[in-house]
Amino acid sequence: MKRVEKFDDIELDYKCFISTEFDIDDYIGEKSIAIDGSSVMFVQPKGAMTKEVSIYSKDSGFISGATKDLLAASVDTNSKIVTYDDGTTDTFYYDFTKIPISFKPLYEGSLWYSITINLLKG
C-alpha cells in the first residue's frame, strides 16, 4: 500500500494515506425512474473514473504545528507533486469545490493535527 511521504516540497512528519489506495469498491451512482415506473441505476467505480483524491491522516499520519503552517501556506492554484514511500510521484491540484485542506487538533490545545487534503488529479 502506497503512502504519502512528501507533499510538494514539504516533508510530512508521518506518512499519510491517499484515497486511491482504498477506492477499489467505492462506487458513485444515480437512480432514475423510467417512463414505465421502474428504477434504473447508473453506477461507476469512483476510484477509476473520478479525478477527486484525498490525502488524510487516518489514525497515524499526524502532522506538527510547523508542518501545518507550511501546508496551509501552500494552498494555491499551482500544481503539487505528491511523493509516495515507494519513490513514485503524481501531480495534483487543490480541489476548491471543497475545503482544500483542513486540520483537526488531536485534542484541545494539541500541537499535533490530523489532516485532510482534497485534491484533483492533474
Side-chain angles (χ1 to χ4, degrees), residues 23-42:
D23 283 346
I24 295 168
D25 61 351
D26 192 9
Y27 292 91
I28 55 176
E30 182 177 324
K31 182 174 125 178
S32 297
I33 304 295
I35 198 163
D36 65 355
S38 63
S39 296
V40 178
M41 186 74 163
F42 301 97

Side-chain angles (χ1 to χ4, degrees), residues 6-58:
K6 196 173 178 183
F7 185 79
D8 220 15
D9 291 329
I10 303 167
E11 192 80 30
L12 300 179
D13 299 305
Y14 293 95
K15 296 175 186 172
C16 289
F17 295 90
I18 188 156
S19 63
T20 55
E21 292 294 305
F22 302 102
D23 283 346
I24 295 168
D25 61 351
D26 192 9
Y27 292 91
I28 55 176
E30 182 177 324
K31 182 174 125 178
S32 297
I33 304 295
I35 198 163
D36 65 355
S38 63
S39 296
V40 178
M41 186 74 163
F42 301 97
V43 179
Q44 73 180 30
K46 183 177 180 182
M49 305 304 265
T50 188
K51 292 183 170 232
E52 297 174 0
V53 173
S54 292
I55 295 173
Y56 48 92
S57 310
K58 260 191 137 176

Side-chain angles (χ1 to χ4, degrees), residues 2 9 14 21 23 30 38 46 76 83 87 90 99 104 108 119 121:
K2 292 193 299 189
D9 291 329
Y14 293 95
E21 292 294 305
D23 283 346
E30 182 177 324
S38 63
K46 183 177 180 182
D76 57 23
T83 306
D90 276 327
I99 297 172
K104 181 179 176 188
E108 185 70 32
L119 303 167
K121 291 181 186 175

